[in-house]
Amino acid sequence: MQNKSIAQMAADLRLRTYSSVELTQHYLERIARLDPMLNAFITVATESALAAAERADRTLRSGETGPLTGIPIAHKDIFCTQGLKTSCGSRMLDNFIAPYDATIVERLAAAGAVVLGKTNMDEFAMGSSNETSWYGPVRNPWDQTRVPGGSSGGSAAAVAARLCAAATASDTGGSIRQPAALCGVTGIKPTYGRCSRWGMIAFASSLDQAGVMARSAADAAFILDEMAGFDERDSTSAEVPVPDYVDALDDDITGLRIGLPKEYFGEGLDPRVGEVVMDAIKEYERLGAEIIEISLPNSPLSVPVYYVVAPAECSSNLARFDGVRYGYRCENPKDLLDLYERSRAEGFGPEVQRRIMIGTYVLSAGYYDAYYLKAQKIRRLIVEDFKRAFEQVDVIMGPTSPTTAFPLGSKLDDPVSMYLNDIYTIATNLAGLPGLSIPVEPVDGLPVGLQIIGNYFQEARLLNVAHRYQHVTHWHQAAPVGFE
């Protein structure tokens, strides 16, 4: 059952080939048996999942079904889920039970999806390897000595290992696309504002965006169809009509203009990764697309810009975690200052503390103009680069990550090397554009991702372009050994 697409599962459920309870029990059994090897889940919601599956079966019997009725999914532990722990991978929120559902959680529940549990993640979504979690690192199902990518490594590993049909995730600088690439799954980050951020714990508010991890573009389209749309509770939500993503999957791509940024194929890219990515792009040529070389001259500046803007926003957003209202509180504080200092020092991990300190520094008097203001000006130049590019091309393609998955622990002591893992993904967040990663031919048995970037609110085109490639290739169907 776990190797079927969402469309196939939905058809089976409607035909009563098996029930949602049986399907949910199947996934829960796989999680119990296989997740100890991966640590992909923080919380497994056995009781509520089976109760939701029973409700889905009643709906199925009534004949009033949708495409997700009875389909078991998982949520990244950054999304508030009423009655379930929402930890954000941090000791700071280890005891936090959300009193409400995030908008996307609410919408997927209304569509009939069954929530199996909450997936592991880098603490407060800060990391590229899923090693900063208070609950321990997630392991890549393709090689358990390697990282799954981050910060949505738990969602990526769970989907790759067939522990759920799909999973929600979030992307601030590549946190959907990079782990999707390293784990061999499909991951889409929609346009900023396309999916509501209400109920998603904030890291960097001008960059964060909810998205989807699934085995294929078609599966991702089913989930995004239910997630996307305007939400009046989110002031950054875009009031733009949402097309039917599933309907657009099979559109013809003859004449598609694909832009190849020369900056994405230079120094720092593993030559073998570059080779298989180019092979995938040549497949698009065979499908009738046209390849055009373009330039994104300011994209090499995206990493330093991001590591000014994102920490600045995080230092503001995480000020609320003070040991007073909710979350972790230190033992026996001497006074209010001691409560603040020790609660934050003990509740936050090293990477979160590093980013809070950097962010506070760049926002401080005397440094705001030199760092934060300058970073925002360069961010505007990056946006203009993309605008010029999309006057020539329909989509932009390149590698998602410069390498395949690296060994656990190999970059923990070198933050700059860790940050460079997102060099091809960060610019998309700075510009607020949609981006998607799909698996292509592996290198030495490890997955490689092709990144596809679109213009604003062009998620339907991205999913269509990805689906056409997956229609003539099989890389997205491959399963890690032991998790078939």
Side-chain angles (χ1 to χ4, degrees), residues 152-208:
S152 308
S155 290
V159 172
R162 278 61 172 164
L163 304 185
C164 55
T168 58
S170 68
D171 193 310
T172 307
S175 291
I176 289 175
R177 291 157 291 152
Q178 188 248 17
L182 270 49
C183 287
V185 300
T186 301
I188 181 168
K189 178 204 93 72
T191 304
Y192 182 78
R194 176 56 101 186
C195 294
S196 173
R197 293 191 304 112
W198 195 79
M200 182 171 85
I201 295 170
F203 161 19
S205 301
S206 75
L207 301 164
D208 297 342

Side-chain angles (χ1 to χ4, degrees), residues 3-303:
N3 287 312
K4 294 191 174 188
S5 69
I6 286 177
Q8 289 169 330
M9 288 182 198
D12 286 349
L13 288 169
R14 287 193 296 271
L15 292 170
R16 315 284 174 83
T17 306
Y18 43 79
S19 67
S20 179
V21 167
E22 290 170 325
L23 183 60
T24 301
Q25 285 173 330
H26 175 74
Y27 275 112
L28 289 169
E29 183 277 328
R30 284 182 65 82
I31 292 169
R33 179 165 50 89
L34 299 171
D35 191 54
M37 293 186 275
L38 302 177
N39 196 31
F41 281 84
I42 290 174
T43 301
V44 180
T46 303
E47 288 184 17
S48 60
L50 290 172
E54 287 176 2
R55 290 195 297 274
D57 282 333
R58 288 196 293 273
T59 302
L60 286 159
R61 285 193 292 272
S62 75
E64 298 176 6
T65 64
L68 297 184
T69 303
I71 302 296
I73 65 167
H75 287 302
K76 184 178 180 179
D77 206 21
I78 199 169
F79 298 106
C80 287
T81 44
Q82 187 173 13
L84 283 181
K85 180 165 80 171
T86 301
S87 73
C88 225
S90 179
R91 184 185 192 187
M92 183 62 79
L93 290 176
D94 182 53
N95 62 359
F96 177 62
I97 307 296
Y100 64 95
D101 281 333
T103 296
I104 68 160
V105 172
E106 195 176 78
R107 287 178 175 174
L108 289 168
V114 173
V115 178
L116 296 168
K118 307 291 289 293
T119 57
N120 205 344
M121 58 180 284
D122 278 304
E123 185 180 11
F124 282 99
M126 298 180 200
S128 302
S129 63
N130 220 137
E131 294 175 284
T132 70
S133 171
W134 167 250
Y135 303 95
V138 176
R139 298 177 179 275
N140 192 317
W142 292 90
D143 180 344
Q144 291 158 47
T145 68
R146 295 177 182 267
V147 303
S151 65
S152 308
S155 290
V159 172
R162 278 61 172 164
L163 304 185
C164 55
T168 58
S170 68
D171 193 310
T172 307
S175 291
I176 289 175
R177 291 157 291 152
Q178 188 248 17
L182 270 49
C183 287
V185 300
T186 301
I188 181 168
K189 178 204 93 72
T191 304
Y192 182 78
R194 176 56 101 186
C195 294
S196 173
R197 293 191 304 112
W198 195 79
M200 182 171 85
I201 295 170
F203 161 19
S205 301
S206 75
L207 301 164
D208 297 342
Q209 182 54 218
V212 186
M213 299 273 203
R215 283 174 47 216
S216 68
D219 284 355
F222 278 106
I223 304 293
L224 196 60
D225 258 345
E226 304 301 330
M227 284 173 55
F230 176 68
D231 178 13
E232 62 183 12
R233 296 174 293 189
D234 173 9
S235 62
T236 62
S237 180
E239 199 164 358
V240 176
V242 179
D244 188 318
Y245 297 122
V246 175
D247 273 0
L249 286 172
D250 289 312
D251 287 356
D252 186 23
I253 62 168
T254 302
L256 181 78
R257 298 172 300 164
I258 297 173
L260 296 192
K262 60 184 181 183
E263 293 82 5
Y264 286 17
F265 291 90
E267 186 180 354
L269 176 64
D270 182 325
R272 296 173 302 168
V273 169
E275 185 179 329
V276 295
V277 165
M278 284 306 303
D279 286 345
I281 292 168
K282 287 172 186 171
E283 186 65 52
Y284 278 105
E285 278 193 292
R286 288 189 281 274
L287 291 169
E290 176 189 0
I291 310 301
I292 301 168
E293 185 175 294
I294 61 169
S295 179
L296 299 171
N298 291 291
S299 62
L301 298 172
S302 60
V303 172

Side-chain angles (χ1 to χ4, degrees), residues 285-344:
E285 278 193 292
R286 288 189 281 274
L287 291 169
E290 176 189 0
I291 310 301
I292 301 168
E293 185 175 294
I294 61 169
S295 179
L296 299 171
N298 291 291
S299 62
L301 298 172
S302 60
V303 172
V305 168
Y306 177 87
Y307 282 101
V308 170
V309 174
E313 295 184 10
C314 113
S315 72
S316 174
N317 279 323
L318 271 60
R320 72 194 67 177
F321 302 111
D322 54 12
V324 175
R325 285 156 289 193
Y326 56 90
Y328 178 79
R329 178 180 292 190
C330 68
E331 296 285 337
N332 304 314
K334 293 182 294 184
D335 52 32
L336 188 60
L337 183 61
D338 186 49
L339 170 68
Y340 288 157
E341 289 179 345
R342 286 204 291 122
S343 294
R344 288 170 68 81

